[in-house]
Structure formats: structure tokens, C-alpha cells
Amino acid sequence: MAPRIVHELESKFGSEYGPEEEAAVLRVLRENAPTSGDACIQFEQDFAAYTGTEYARAVSNGTAALFLALLALGVKKGDRVLTTPLTWIATAAAGVTLGAEVDFIDIDPKTYNLDPAQLEKKLTPKTKAVIPVHLYGQCCDMDEILALSRQHGFAVVEDACHALGAEYKGRKAGSMGALGCFSFHEQKNISTLGEGGIITTGDAALFEKVALYRSHCTRVYGKSSKYCSIDETQRPKGKRFWYQDFDDCGYNFRMTDIQGAVGSEQLKKLDDLNAKRIAAARYLTQHLQEVPGLTLPCEAPECKHVYHLYPLQIDAVKFGMSKEDFVYAMLHEHGIKVGTHYIPLHYSTAFRTRGFHQGQFPVVEDIAERLVTLPIHPRLTLEALEYLAGAIRKLSGTA
Ligand SMILES: *Cc1c(COP(=O)(O)O)cnc(C)c1O
């Protein structure tokens, strides 16, 4: 086993930094490293332009983005929020922490995204929001979901945390629903120093709510003019007299300017970083397609898949090894940590104690028996990819 290659296969970090990010950090540091100032506002403008949305507001992480998005829609106790059971817990927790009733929609077995055909059956008049998750970097069937949204009047909040730069019919992830939520956690396709998030929207009223609740619902008024800002950090410059009012009690989910400045540099690199992920996925697909008992990722023709992760199903009989034995052997025989993203959420204690149980979502339950995720990120070399595909072929006995 080659230790350097094994180190390269570590999937802890999803992006990479260079001299541009270093310079950005130093520049803002020398300006006293403020929070949510000019560098954050610049990042928000850059991000809105990149995704083709009207507004963007940077926040502390993706979990805060999802929470604020639902809050802006007015989600509260008595409302229903629907999402997929195959996601990170933050997606479902956003509704729960606002007191709403969260329910799941089973998945499409080919794309692993929530199945719009199952969605319709789960709608009730209380359904306020649906959160499609663009899982592993491939967008959901948005035309179907948006058509149901128009028909039934629920709001669509895209969880685009895996899908930075992904596209659906030429539209960027996060630009199709009422609001889009992104994360810049260290494992995501770009990062703002380990944590970070952003909310996109085309709706001025929703944007105002997001902006208010992100920062204690502050409005700033200039005494000598009608100037009014919805954010304390955008107070009227040069005006001697201004005062602060609070519309309501809100939160502090702000992003710092050092993170914002790094975000703008990362965003310039996003397409290149994604191109490397896509090339790595092509290599894996090409070198694993002959291996019996593997189900490789399926790319929908209308999507640009950005491979946040590379999902793979292991058929125990045809591959000759169960998923559990595969994960164990990859780690102990080859030093490669294979992921198992995610535990179907209705299996978790958090949702079992809320009345969910095995048997409710047969498609995801069946797939979860076989599903693993391979490490994929832009720093993988050809050597590391050869080692990864080679290890899988060895375990299958086809090397
Ligand atoms: C990472 C992630 C989140 C939450 O983002 P954080 O920045 O870690 O809070 C939400 N949903 C999905 C699908 C994610 O992968």
C-alpha cells in the first residue's frame, strides 16, 4: 500500500486553496477582519451573478441557510415540510427545529433523488414547503417538482449543498426554487475556511426576511433622511446620526469578511474544480463498468452532475462481497475510507422518536443495503484514481 496515495484519497477536504485565498485572508485581516462587511457583500453579488439569481445572502453555514429559508417562508408549528430520507440530517432538522411536522418522500432508484411521483401522494393542504436535495451533485427532476408546486401552492427550497455549480436544463442549482441553500463546509465543492453558507432567491420580500432574521431583525434609520437599511452592517456611511430598531427577535447567522473574501476567490475556481471532479468520475466509471455486481452512478441527460460524491451500489451476490465487508476490506486491505452517505433518516433515533419506522420507504431501504460513496475531490491524481479503481477490481476478483 502506498501511503502517499492513501493520503491523497482522504476525502476530508472537498476543495483546495492557493495563493489567491492566502492573499484574500491577509487583505481582510489588515482591514481588521470585520464581519459581514464589504467583502461579504461582494461575495454575495458574485454568487448571485454565478447562479443567475437576483439576491444572495451569506450565512454561517448550510444548516443556518435551510433554517432561515424556511423561517422566511413562515414555516411554523402545524405546517408540513417534505424532503428526502436520503440526505444529511440538516435538511430535515430545519423544519423540525421550527416546530413543523417533517415527512419524507421515497427516492428515485436511478438518481437517488426524491421521486416526484411519490411526492404528489404525500401532499396535504398543510404542506408549506418541499426541500428537494440535489444529492451527490445531480439536480432533482425540477420541472416535475415545480409543476406540482404551482398546482398545490407549496414553496420549493432547494438544498443545493452538494450541487455548487450543478445545472438542470442549463439552469444553475439554487436558482429554480423560491430559495436555494448552499454550504461551504470543508467537504463541499468549495469552502470558506471550513464553515459557511449562502441563500439565493429571486424574491425581494423573501430576501428581506432572510436579511432581517440573519442579523437580529435590525433596521437602521438615518435621522436626517429616509435612509433605511435592513442590516446593521450596511448602516448609512458618513451619516453622523442614525438609530437602530428591531422588527422582531432574530438570530446571528452572519458570515465573516475573511470567509467572504475567500469565497469570492473560491467561486472563480469552482468550474475548474468541478471539471476535475467530473474527470475523476469519468475515470472511475470507465474503469469499473466491467466489474460484475456494481451499479455505477446514472447521469440524467438534462443535468450537469458535479460529483460531490461518487455513489456506488454493491450487489453482494454478483460482486461476491456484502457492502459491510466491502467497506471493511477497502479500509483494512487498501487503506481507503469508503463513505456510507447516508443512513436513511427515518432509521435515526431523531426520527424514530418522532414515530418513523422501517418499512415506510421501501426504495431507499432497499438501496441503502448496497449503497456506498467513493472518495472524490479535485486533488485526486491519476495515480490515486488507478489505485482506487484497482483496489475495487481486486476485491471483486476481476483485477
Ligand atoms: C452539508 C450539508 C448541509 C448542511 O451544511 P452545513 O454547512 O454543514 O451546516 C445540508 N444539507 C446537505 C445535503 C449537506 O450536504
Side-chain angles (χ1 to χ4, degrees), residues 102-162:
V102 170
D103 200 355
F104 302 108
I105 305 148
D106 212 343
I107 61 167
D108 174 334
K110 286 214 283 296
T111 61
Y112 309 121
N113 282 325
L114 72 79
D115 181 356
Q118 310 265 359
L119 165 57
E120 195 161 13
K121 294 182 219 152
K122 285 273 179 171
L123 294 170
T124 74
K126 288 200 289 181
T127 307
K128 190 109 177 202
V130 174
I131 315 180
V133 180
H134 306 315
L135 199 72
Y136 306 136
Q138 175 158 257
C139 287
C140 294
D141 187 348
M142 290 306 288
D143 278 353
E144 289 292 320
I145 295 168
L146 293 169
L148 288 169
S149 144
R150 283 187 295 272
Q151 217 176 313
H152 297 274
F154 60 82
V156 174
V157 174
E158 295 176 70
D159 181 337
C161 292
H162 285 191

Side-chain angles (χ1 to χ4, degrees), residues 61-63 66 87-88 90-91 133 159 161-162 183 185 188 196 342:
N61 53 62
T63 304
L66 287 158
T87 181
W88 180 232
T91 318
V133 180
D159 181 337
C161 292
H162 285 191
S183 165
H185 175 265
K188 301 294 157 56
Y342 292 97

Side-chain angles (χ1 to χ4, degrees), residues 127-323:
T127 307
K128 190 109 177 202
V130 174
I131 315 180
V133 180
H134 306 315
L135 199 72
Y136 306 136
Q138 175 158 257
C139 287
C140 294
D141 187 348
M142 290 306 288
D143 278 353
E144 289 292 320
I145 295 168
L146 293 169
L148 288 169
S149 144
R150 283 187 295 272
Q151 217 176 313
H152 297 274
F154 60 82
V156 174
V157 174
E158 295 176 70
D159 181 337
C161 292
H162 285 191
L164 281 150
E167 289 174 19
Y168 174 83
K169 299 189 177 174
R171 300 169 72 185
K172 283 272 184 337
S175 71
M176 296 171 276
L179 300 128
C181 299
F182 295 85
S183 165
F184 307 116
H185 175 265
E186 66 185 12
Q187 286 176 6
K188 301 294 157 56
N189 291 25
I190 57 171
S191 183
T192 52
L193 306 176
E195 298 280 5
I198 204 162
I199 301 173
T200 49
T201 182
D203 184 314
L206 287 175
F207 178 70
E208 184 175 52
K209 286 228 173 71
V210 164
L212 279 169
Y213 281 89
R214 182 191 71 156
S215 192
H216 298 299
C217 297
T218 312
R219 285 182 195 269
V220 175
Y221 298 92
K223 274 206 166 155
S224 55
S225 75
K226 288 204 171 70
Y227 185 97
C228 162
S229 163
I230 51 168
D231 195 327
E232 166 222 347
T233 57
Q234 293 167 46
R235 60 183 162 248
K237 286 205 173 75
K239 288 219 162 39
R240 281 188 62 201
F241 302 108
W242 54 274
Y243 69 97
Q244 199 168 25
D245 188 23
F246 308 96
D247 282 17
D248 192 4
C249 290
Y251 303 85
N252 171 4
F253 290 146
R254 295 184 299 257
M255 175 185 268
T256 71
D257 257 28
I258 289 191
Q259 289 178 289
V262 168
S264 287
E265 296 306 324
Q266 285 274 282
L267 193 58
K268 289 180 203 159
K269 301 180 181 180
L270 176 58
D271 288 344
D272 286 342
L273 293 168
N274 279 342
K276 289 183 187 168
R277 286 174 178 273
I278 293 164
R282 295 265 182 284
Y283 180 95
L284 290 172
T285 295
Q286 200 184 333
H287 289 81
L288 295 175
Q289 63 190 357
E290 304 296 324
V291 179
L294 296 184
T295 305
L296 306 181
C298 156
E299 286 185 28
E302 65 274 18
C303 290
K304 179 185 176 185
H305 194 320
V306 293
Y307 287 96
H308 173 62
L309 294 165
Y310 186 95
L312 189 65
Q313 286 179 60
I314 314 280
D315 182 299
V317 175
K318 292 191 192 125
F319 185 79
M321 192 179 256
S322 72
K323 164 182 160 172

